[in-house]
Amino acid sequence: MTTITDLYPDGHTALREVGLRDGLQMVKVFPSTAGKKRWVAAEYAAGVRYFDAGSFLPAQRHPQFADVRDVVNFLSDLPDAVASVLTLNMRGAADALEGTARQLDCVVSATESHSRRNVHRSRKEALQVVTEICRLRNQSARRPLVAVGLSNALGCTLEGAVDPLEVYRLIGCCYEAGADFVSIADTVGFAGPRQVAEMVRAVVGMDDGRPVGVHLHDTRGLGLANASAALDEGATIIDASLGGLGGCPAAPRATGNIVFEDLAFLCETKGFKTGIDIEQLIGLRAIQAEEMPGEIFYGALERAGLPSSVMKGESAR
């Protein structure tokens, strides 16, 4: 049985690379299986340990994730690597439980409109799916963690502002369903640092020692500022993607995730040790460019490089 502290030790800042899943939702060309393995191996060598490995979805509609089992198996052979996978329904969860992923991710939207567009079910139905996935997990031999990403928690393109009290209610429902922890998602980059700080502070206060995650998009240029605010208020799991890939097909005008290598630099400047060699991380973007020709990548460090005074991976994980 996997416990939260097995994967997310107290006092540890976990940077989760979501490029292999969220990052591939809207690309025109996606990497080969061999290319994904090169990508993972290079990031692992640079010190990355947390990977969103893909989605268990029908391969005919989502061919970029047809090799998710191969990617998860590859990650499982790397010591201390944590592979998480997106499971949107019972079939996906059952398939994931046959493999070696250490975390199953579910999605619940903070707004009804986004829920129906994104997963084609109401929020009440989405919470029921979480309950059923947790029940299925509890019957399994491995019992991986179940995490819930609360989409549009900080604002919705379809409905506008979201009442934080409704977010907190839904988080409580996720815990009642059996989820191990929740990640607050600013799916469309609605929020600024104060809003993020207030929500993270409140969720940390209600989480009874559980880790708090954040999933931020840089749609309006505040992604890193929001990550900084979240870190200051106690968030310990931060999602980002190499090169800033990503977006949400169900959220109009949503753009990519915050840039993974820029986030690692931010953490180092704030004293949050990640164990990641940032200079090495920047260099492996060449694998992405080779595997996804014509795709647009983002990032300030890739353009400017690291300041000479910055630590370059000396910190131990």
Side-chain angles (χ1 to χ4, degrees), residues 54-119:
S55 300
F56 277 88
L57 294 169
Q60 62 270 26
R61 294 205 304 259
H62 304 276
Q64 67 268 52
F65 303 128
D67 57 0
V68 61
R69 292 171 180 80
D70 290 337
V71 176
V72 170
N73 290 338
F74 182 77
L75 277 162
S76 297
D77 288 335
L78 301 175
D80 299 322
V82 176
S84 58
V85 292
L86 182 63
T87 55
L88 294 179
N89 51 43
M90 295 300 291
R91 173 63 184 272
D95 288 345
L97 286 168
E98 291 178 356
T100 55
R102 302 177 74 183
Q103 178 176 311
L104 308 186
D105 292 334
C106 306
V107 172
V108 174
S109 295
T111 64
E112 196 69 20
S113 298
H114 182 262
S115 183
R116 293 188 180 278
R117 179 176 289 193
N118 189 40
V119 294

Side-chain angles (χ1 to χ4, degrees), residues 22-27 217 241 244-248 254-257:
D22 194 335
L24 299 184
Q25 289 189 133
M26 299 177 70
V27 297
H217 285 243
S241 65
L245 288 174
C248 177
T255 54
N257 298 278

